[in-house]
Amino acid sequence: MKNWMAALTVAGAFALPLGAQAQDNYPSRAITWIVPFAAGGPTDAMARNVANRVAQELKQTILIENVGGAGGTIGAAKAAKSTPDGYTFLVGHIGYMAAAPSLYARLPYDPARDFQAVFRFPDTPLVLLVGEKSPYKSVSDLIAFGKQNPGKLNFSNAGVGSTSHLVAAMFASQAGMEITPIAYKGAGPALNDLMGNQVDAMFDQTNTALPQTQGGKVRALGLTSSERMPQFPEVPTMGEKAIPGFQVSTWYGLYAPKGTPDAVVQTMYQAWQKALQDQAFTGRMSEQGIQLLQPAQYAPAAFQQFTAEEIQRWAQVIKQAGITLQ
Ligand code: MLT
């Protein structure tokens, strides 16, 4: 089902200076960014945040199309098969663009072969959350229960291969305990059930976890960042209290189907570079616990190389942690 949500409609349109090859009047009509999770989750929130600001530079509408399911791989497959004309892109991330090749035996796309990296977004660390009525007051409490009660702790996630699934599996493996993963079509629905005390815990990205912790609906036990964060002043890092060296962030970025003209890639990247110069915009992202990168890390070639490296890295992580499709 399509969930067309206009990220931004801006009256009037004229083309930005294009890259090497002139593309007449690109973008001359609305652009679609496929987000392969349900609306309301961190990937959706990040995508709308970036799309709104890039749309202002392009002076064109960017529509977010949510296509949930299978940890993001259904939406990614749809994007891989889309026409490479500069009007359909994928908002990709660490799960379905790097971990999925090592989790799914028959992935209906190849992240390296079927896509061209356009630009990387900033990262979001994750935070281990429990419901407000949970008996667990610390990561250590949760681990103690999990070790004594194998399989009893239910962790909600956004589907197999999602960050919330991967990070929970890494956590369980490094803590020496067995958990039960419960899959949803996105972290939004997964967080809703945590707030309803239907599940015991989940790892969510900071941009969507923060308002719920501030509202007292969920309690944050540990951050997956390397340092404590001012947005979560009382919350230790996972590495500090429970599992030394436990550090992971969700990375995201925009990908075009292979064959998209390079001038289109450059036009989209130039719009993003202009957006990153807007300190009010980048300041708002930092307030959500989003971690800005070094400027060079956002570029198409750097992001393409990073994606290839991450596919290799996650193959090792998944093998060592024994993470499977469950
Ligand atoms: C995840 O990988 O857990 C996703 O970020 C979930 C989402 O954005 O809905």
Side-chain angles (χ1 to χ4, degrees):
M1 183 190 76
K2 285 182 178 175
N3 175 10
W4 297 95
M5 304 277 285
L8 184 88
T9 300
V10 180
F14 56 87
L16 275 173
L18 294 180
Q21 303 154 340
Q23 290 275 340
D24 295 341
N25 297 328
Y26 176 81
S28 59
R29 57 186 166 85
I31 296 166
T32 297
W33 287 12
I34 292 175
V35 172
F37 290 110
T43 305
D44 182 65
M46 174 72 85
R48 290 173 196 277
N49 205 350
V50 174
N52 278 337
R53 190 59 190 76
V54 166
Q56 290 175 39
E57 295 301 331
L58 293 174
K59 294 183 172 37
Q60 187 50 268
T61 302
I62 297 178
L63 295 166
I64 300 293
E65 183 188 352
N66 298 92
V67 181
T73 56
I74 292 174
K78 176 173 183 176
K81 298 179 179 71
S82 64
T83 307
D85 59 2
Y87 289 95
T88 304
F89 295 83
L90 171 69
V91 174
H93 92 12
I94 187 172
Y96 45 97
M97 294 304 283
S102 298
L103 286 170
Y104 288 83
R106 282 177 302 286
L107 199 59
Y109 61 92
D110 179 320
R113 182 197 64 212
D114 298 338
F115 290 99
Q116 154 68 46
V118 179
F119 62 75
R120 187 171 164 186
F121 297 2
D123 289 356
T124 46
L126 293 102
V127 52
L128 174 53
L129 301 172
V130 293
E132 59 178 339
K133 296 177 182 162
S134 169
Y136 310 114
K137 305 298 184 205
S138 68
V139 181
S140 304
D141 286 353
L142 196 69
I143 292 174
F145 179 85
K147 283 186 163 181
Q148 288 158 15
N149 302 274
K152 285 283 190 303
L153 283 176
N154 293 329
F155 272 67
S156 61
N157 65 54
V160 174
S162 62
T163 326
S164 36
H165 166 239
L166 291 171
V167 176
M170 284 168 58
F171 168 63
S173 168
Q174 294 184 32
M177 65 181 186
E178 188 191 318
I179 62 172
T180 297
I182 312 288
Y184 294 75
K185 283 190 181 291
L191 186 59
N192 286 343
D193 269 11
L194 181 68
M195 291 191 284
N197 295 291
Q198 304 298 312
V199 291
D200 298 303
M202 80 173 281
F203 281 91
D204 191 24
Q205 279 97 307
T206 50
N207 55 329
T208 38
L210 184 58
Q212 304 309 341
T213 53
Q214 289 171 332
K217 290 281 190 185
V218 291
R219 188 161 59 246
L221 299 186
L223 291 164
T224 68
S225 46
S226 57
E227 306 291 331
R228 291 195 176 209
M229 298 174 73
Q231 295 84 356
F232 296 89
E234 307 303 318
V235 184
T237 64
M238 300 291 288
E240 174 187 332
K241 288 282 182 185
I243 305 176
F246 191 92
Q247 182 189 333
V248 62
S249 288
T250 303
W251 54 260
Y252 315 77
L254 194 69
Y255 294 89
K258 206 75 164 182
T260 300
D262 186 55
V264 166
V265 172
Q266 294 306 321
T267 300
M268 197 60 85
Y269 175 50
Q270 287 160 8
W272 177 230
Q273 285 180 299
K274 288 177 186 275
L276 287 169
Q277 290 162 18
D278 175 352
Q279 292 187 2
F281 169 65
T282 56
R284 284 194 300 276
M285 285 201 286
S286 298
E287 286 163 9
Q288 297 169 37
I290 293 170
Q291 296 186 326
L292 300 174
L293 306 175
Q294 294 303 312
Q297 290 180 279
Y298 294 115
F303 188 35
Q304 190 81 37
Q305 175 62 26
F306 175 75
T307 302
E309 290 165 358
E310 282 289 283
I311 291 169
Q312 299 306 319
R313 183 170 80 89
W314 277 94
Q316 294 306 316
V317 170
I318 286 165
K319 189 175 175 188
Q320 283 160 9
I323 300 173
T324 61
L325 281 178
Q326 274 69 39

